[in-house]
Amino acid sequence: MPVSGEFTWEETDGHIKVAIPLKGVSPKKVDVFTASSILKVSYAPFLLDLNLYGEIDEESSRAVLKNGTLKICLVKKINKPWGQLCFEGTKNEIMQRRRKALKDRDEKVHSHMERVASKKVEEERMVFQQHMALEEKERHRLDHIKAREKKNAEDAMYTTFSRLQNEKSPENLPTKGIHFKPEKDGAPHEELAETMDAKQQPQDDKGEESEATMPPPRKVTHSTFRHTPRLFKTPSRESTIKQEQEFIIKNRSNLKKNVLLNDVDIGDVDPVWLNSKGDECYGKGDFCSAINAYTEALEADETMVHALGNRAASYLHLREGTCCIKDCLVALKMSDASESQFDTLLETIQFRKKIHTHLALAYCLNEEYAKAIEAFQQLDENDESAIECIRHLEVLMEATQLKAKADSSFAEGDLINANEFYTQALSVDPTLVTALMNRAACHLAMENATDCIDDCTLALKLVSGGSKPKHEDSPCLITAFISPKPSVQRKWSATLLCRRAAAKRMSGDCQGASIDSEELAKLETKLLQHV
């Protein structure tokens, strides 16, 4: 809490003088405030707040700091003695006088700021006018220089053409005459007239010349230029195209009602139309275009959960497991938060079932079989297809784990254990092509040519579809999705042919090795064509 400061005062008819000892307080901490009937001095930890008896002219008042004493000279508005420094009255009267003084001071400060701002604007206007006058003067000077140079060039051209005309003899054939027509101001006219003899005249025609007249001026045509409509009406050289496009994409759902976008195609702003376009492309099998359409629809309206689910299905058909998983997880969260997009509870259940199925198949593509089983378990317990898929995945997980152990042993050079683990993996799942391929490589490294040839032949039949896996007759959904892409199948076939040719060469079957080498060459040609 501040302490009331000490002071002394004296008056004359026109002035009030107040002396305040600062008592060692730094001058930087002294703050003086005056209004029409207020004197307030703050010098921590002291505070002096006086409600003056009469009104003062705060603009003419002065404060001087000398020898550790603050001397304030207040100018009275009315020259007469006060008899006392502070006003004495009730609390309400003192508060009213204080409010009135502060209000008057605020009005004066506001008026002063307006005058300062007006003066600044006027000064800027004067500077701008002076600048414009200088530019206008410079422009007139440059125009004068251009006109003088133009006149000099025209005079030089006129002199040159006159000299050339005088040098030409009238007997020479053909004769060309160049005539000038002076303008009203005496300057030479730029219009030229050429005279030529159409045909060579006989000698008895006395060198008569036929003068060719100039063709008429070209007709005036009007051309109309149409510029590309832009949301931001700034020149391209002054705009930031990248930032503008990002703004339009982020705010497209709000901008589609803006009159500035009336010329924009409906396909760029209507999410419902974009979603139906994506469904059309999806039905035709054009999954890339479908993904683009669904993406545009989601950028226009992020709450379209159906577009998100359909885009996940498109990614699944393109075997893009990671993108499909991302969309499925987001779609599941959106379906929980936006049940209003579904008319009935049955539609919600069917949608979530479809998304869980896509999620499980996408996990199968990424070989995340444990997560795929968890996704299938989210479906109906009585769903035979889901139960069969879970059984198949459990078998596939066991076979994959045994194959991983075999791969590790094979990398360490332990061929016997690697061969044993590959055999165990194939006993669990005989259709695991990668295990057959690696066991064939293991037999080749152990110089077991016959076993290598048998494994390569069986693997080639599985890759080419010559031998149906045991899961094809079951309602399992993942059989088609875990099969490799055609490009991967061609690479596997090339690898198997190469290993089988090496095994046949090792066993002495050079003719069989030659046949495999020819098939390998044909397959490599196909691989190069698909690169």
Side-chain angles (χ1 to χ4, degrees):
M1 183 174 181
V3 182
S4 179
E6 299 179 357
F7 68 95
T8 59
W9 71 283
E10 60 182 10
E11 71 168 334
T12 62
D13 290 342
H15 298 83
I16 293 289
K17 296 181 180 179
V18 181
I20 304 172
L22 299 182
K23 298 182 180 182
V25 177
S26 173
K28 296 180 180 180
K29 298 182 178 180
V30 179
D31 183 23
V32 180
F33 174 81
T34 59
S36 60
S37 60
I38 296 174
L39 172 62
K40 185 176 181 180
V41 182
S42 174
Y43 53 109
F46 302 100
L47 175 65
L48 182 63
D49 191 358
L50 303 177
N51 194 336
L52 301 177
Y53 179 79
E55 294 185 354
I56 62 172
D57 185 4
E58 61 267 25
E59 294 183 358
S60 302
S61 301
R62 297 290 182 270
V64 179
L65 181 62
K66 186 176 181 181
N67 297 329
T69 302
L70 178 65
K71 296 182 179 181
I72 303 174
C73 182
L74 306 176
V75 180
K76 299 179 180 179
K77 284 189 176 181
I78 300 176
N79 295 332
K80 67 176 183 179
W82 288 356
Q84 60 186 38
L85 181 60
C86 297
F87 175 79
E88 295 179 357
T90 63
K91 185 176 181 180
N92 291 335
E93 292 176 351
I94 294 174
M95 292 300 296
Q96 289 178 1
R97 293 181 83 249
R98 187 178 185 87
R99 291 193 191 98
K100 182 177 180 301
L102 293 175
K103 182 179 179 181
D104 294 341
R105 178 175 174 80
D106 291 341
E107 292 177 354
K108 290 181 180 180
V109 171
H110 183 68
S111 177
H112 177 70
M113 295 298 294
E114 288 182 349
R115 290 196 301 271
V116 171
S118 177
K119 184 178 179 181
K120 183 178 179 181
V121 171
E122 188 65 26
E123 290 177 353
E124 290 178 353
R125 185 183 293 109
M126 291 179 61
V127 171
F128 179 74
Q129 291 176 354
Q130 292 176 359
H131 182 69
M132 293 295 293
L134 289 175
E135 288 187 351
E136 185 70 16
K137 183 178 179 181
E138 182 67 14
R139 188 178 64 81
H140 283 306
R141 187 181 69 85
L142 294 176
D143 290 343
H144 179 69
I145 293 174
K146 291 179 182 179
R148 185 176 59 193
E149 293 294 332
K150 179 180 178 182
K151 186 176 182 305
N152 293 338
E154 289 176 349
D155 292 343
M157 183 180 66
Y158 174 74
T159 303
T160 302
F161 283 141
S162 299
R163 180 174 55 80
L164 293 175
Q165 187 179 16
N166 293 333
E167 289 178 356
K168 288 182 180 291
S169 173
E171 290 118 7
N172 293 336
L173 295 175
T175 303
K176 294 183 178 180
I178 303 176
H179 307 281
F180 298 89
K181 295 181 180 181
E183 294 181 348
K184 293 181 180 181
D185 55 357
H189 198 279
E190 297 180 358
E191 183 177 358
L192 304 179
E194 294 183 359
T195 59
M196 299 180 61
D197 286 341
K199 295 182 180 180
Q200 184 175 0
Q201 301 292 336
Q203 293 181 356
D204 55 355
D205 288 343
K206 298 181 180 181
E208 293 182 356
E209 299 178 358
S210 62
E211 184 174 336
T213 59
M214 291 294 291
R218 295 189 181 96
K219 296 181 180 180
V220 178
T221 58
H222 298 278
S223 300
T224 303
F225 296 92
R226 296 184 62 184
H227 301 278
T228 303
R230 298 181 64 248
L231 178 62
F232 297 87
K233 305 299 182 181
T234 54
S236 295
R237 64 180 180 276
E238 298 176 3
S239 63
T240 52
I241 302 297
K242 184 177 179 180
Q243 289 80 357
E244 292 174 4
Q245 293 298 329
E246 291 177 354
F247 174 83
I248 292 173
I249 291 173
K250 291 180 180 179
N251 300 275
R252 182 169 292 172
S253 60
N254 298 323
L255 292 176
K256 63 183 180 181
K257 298 181 181 179
N258 196 313
V259 295
L260 297 176
L261 293 179
N262 288 337
D263 295 333
V264 179
D265 186 73
I266 187 175
D268 295 333
V269 295
D270 191 355
V272 177
W273 186 91
L274 288 168
N275 185 44
S276 62
K277 191 67 176 177
D279 294 341
E280 179 182 351
C281 295
Y282 183 90
K284 295 179 180 179
D286 188 1
F287 301 113
C288 293
S289 299
I291 289 173
N292 294 332
Y294 291 137
T295 302
E296 290 291 330
L298 290 169
E299 289 177 354
D301 186 2
E302 296 178 353
T303 62
M304 296 192 68
V305 65
H306 290 287
L308 193 61
N310 294 338
R311 189 175 70 174
S314 301
Y315 279 129
L316 188 62
H317 281 283
L318 294 178
R319 306 180 72 86
E320 296 290 340
T322 303
C323 297
C324 180
I325 292 170
K326 181 179 178 182
D327 282 354
C328 288
L329 294 176
V330 176
L332 289 173
K333 292 181 180 179
M334 289 176 61
S335 64
D336 292 335
S338 58
E339 294 182 355
S340 59
Q341 294 193 21
F342 305 95
D343 296 332
T344 61
L345 181 61
L346 180 60
E347 289 185 6
T348 306
I349 296 174
Q350 290 178 351
F351 177 81
R352 293 181 62 84
K353 179 180 178 181
K354 181 177 69 173
I355 295 300
H356 278 297
T357 303
H358 293 166
L359 182 62
L361 295 176
Y363 279 134
C364 291
L365 287 177
N366 290 358
E367 296 182 0
E368 298 178 55
Y369 301 123
K371 293 183 179 180
I373 292 174
E374 293 179 2
F376 275 122
Q377 289 174 349
Q378 298 295 326
L379 301 177
D380 189 2
E381 296 180 356
N382 299 324
D383 191 344
E384 295 182 0
S385 177
I387 295 173
E388 183 66 21
C389 289
I390 293 173
R391 292 174 182 172
H392 181 72
L393 286 174
E394 290 174 351
V395 172
L396 189 60
M397 283 181 61
E398 183 180 358
T400 304
Q401 291 173 359
L402 291 170
K403 175 184 173 296
K405 294 181 181 179
D407 292 339
S408 178
S409 300
F410 192 29
E412 293 173 0
D414 190 359
L415 301 179
I416 297 176
N417 286 333
N419 188 19
E420 183 178 354
F421 281 125
Y422 284 134
T423 303
Q424 293 178 9
L426 289 170
S427 64
V428 175
D429 187 2
T431 63
L432 191 60
V433 179
T434 53
L436 272 174
M437 292 175 61
N438 293 351
R439 192 174 71 172
C442 186
H443 285 314
L444 186 63
M446 296 172 66
E447 297 183 356
N448 296 332
T450 304
D451 294 334
C452 178
I453 293 171
D454 294 338
D455 284 346
C456 289
T457 303
L458 180 58
L460 284 171
K461 290 181 179 180
L462 291 174
V463 171
S464 61
S467 177
K468 295 183 179 181
K470 66 178 182 180
H471 308 288
E472 261 192 19
D473 297 332
S474 66
C476 183
L477 296 173
I478 63 175
T479 304
F481 285 92
I482 62 175
S483 61
K485 297 180 181 179
S487 58
V488 177
Q489 291 180 3
R490 287 191 288 268
K491 291 180 181 179
W492 285 3
S493 299
T495 303
L496 290 169
L497 286 172
C498 183
R499 290 174 182 173
R500 191 171 70 174
K504 287 181 178 180
R505 193 177 296 108
M506 183 183 297
S507 63
D509 186 6
C510 297
Q511 185 178 0
S514 177
I515 294 173
D516 286 341
S517 299
E518 291 177 359
E519 292 182 6
L520 178 62
K522 293 179 182 179
L523 192 58
E524 286 179 350
T525 304
K526 292 182 179 179
L527 287 173
L528 293 175
Q529 290 176 355
H530 288 83
V531 172

